[in-house]
Amino acid sequence: MNPGAAKCTECEEGTSNNNTGSVDISACFNCTAGSYAPQKGSGACLKCGKDTFSASAGKVTSCTDCPFGKTTGGAEGATECVEKAVACDPGEGPTNSSGEEFCEGCRVGKY
C-alpha cells in the first residue's frame, strides 16, 4: 500500500505483479517480449495470440497483428512474424487477392 493510502493501488496497464503484500510500484514488472497486460491490476502478462506479436519488453497493452503475408506459424507468445509458406503444386505459384493467399498457374514467362 502507498503510505497513507486507504487501499492497494493497481499496477499500470502493460505491467503485472503476481506477489501478495507488495508495497510500491517497483513490484510491478513490464511484460516480456511476446506478452502483454491489457488492463490495470494484472497478476500476469498474457502470451500474444496466434498471428500477433510483441517485439520487445515494456509496458505492452496489446499485441500487433502480423503484416499481410506473414504469420507466427500458429505459435503463441511470438516476438516476430515470418513469411507465410504457401504450398503450391508444380506449375503454380503463390499469389494474393483481397488479403487471401492462394495458388494460381504460373504466368507467361515464369515456371
Side-chain angles (χ1 to χ4, degrees):
M1 281 184 37
N2 292 331
K7 63 177 184 152
C8 296
T9 303
E10 293 179 320
C11 290
E12 298 174 342
E13 294 172 338
T15 67
S16 67
N17 176 8
N18 63 356
N19 298 311
T20 57
S22 299
V23 296
D24 61 40
I25 195 166
S26 68
C28 302
F29 292 96
N30 288 343
C31 295
T32 59
S35 66
Y36 70 106
Q39 60 194 27
K40 289 182 177 182
S42 293
C45 293
L46 307 171
K47 287 183 179 181
C48 293
K50 295 175 184 176
D51 292 330
T52 67
F53 73 103
S54 169
S56 59
K59 292 182 180 177
V60 181
T61 59
S62 65
C63 297
T64 304
D65 290 335
C66 289
F68 177 77
K70 295 197 173 194
T71 182
T72 61
E76 295 182 346
T79 59
E80 65 181 357
C81 300
V82 296
E83 294 293 328
K84 274 187 182 176
V86 178
C88 297
D89 291 328
E92 294 183 333
T95 188
N96 62 62
S97 175
S98 303
E100 296 294 320
E101 286 198 37
F102 60 94
C103 298
E104 71 175 8
C106 293
R107 296 182 182 195
V108 173
K110 297 183 178 185
Y111 63 93

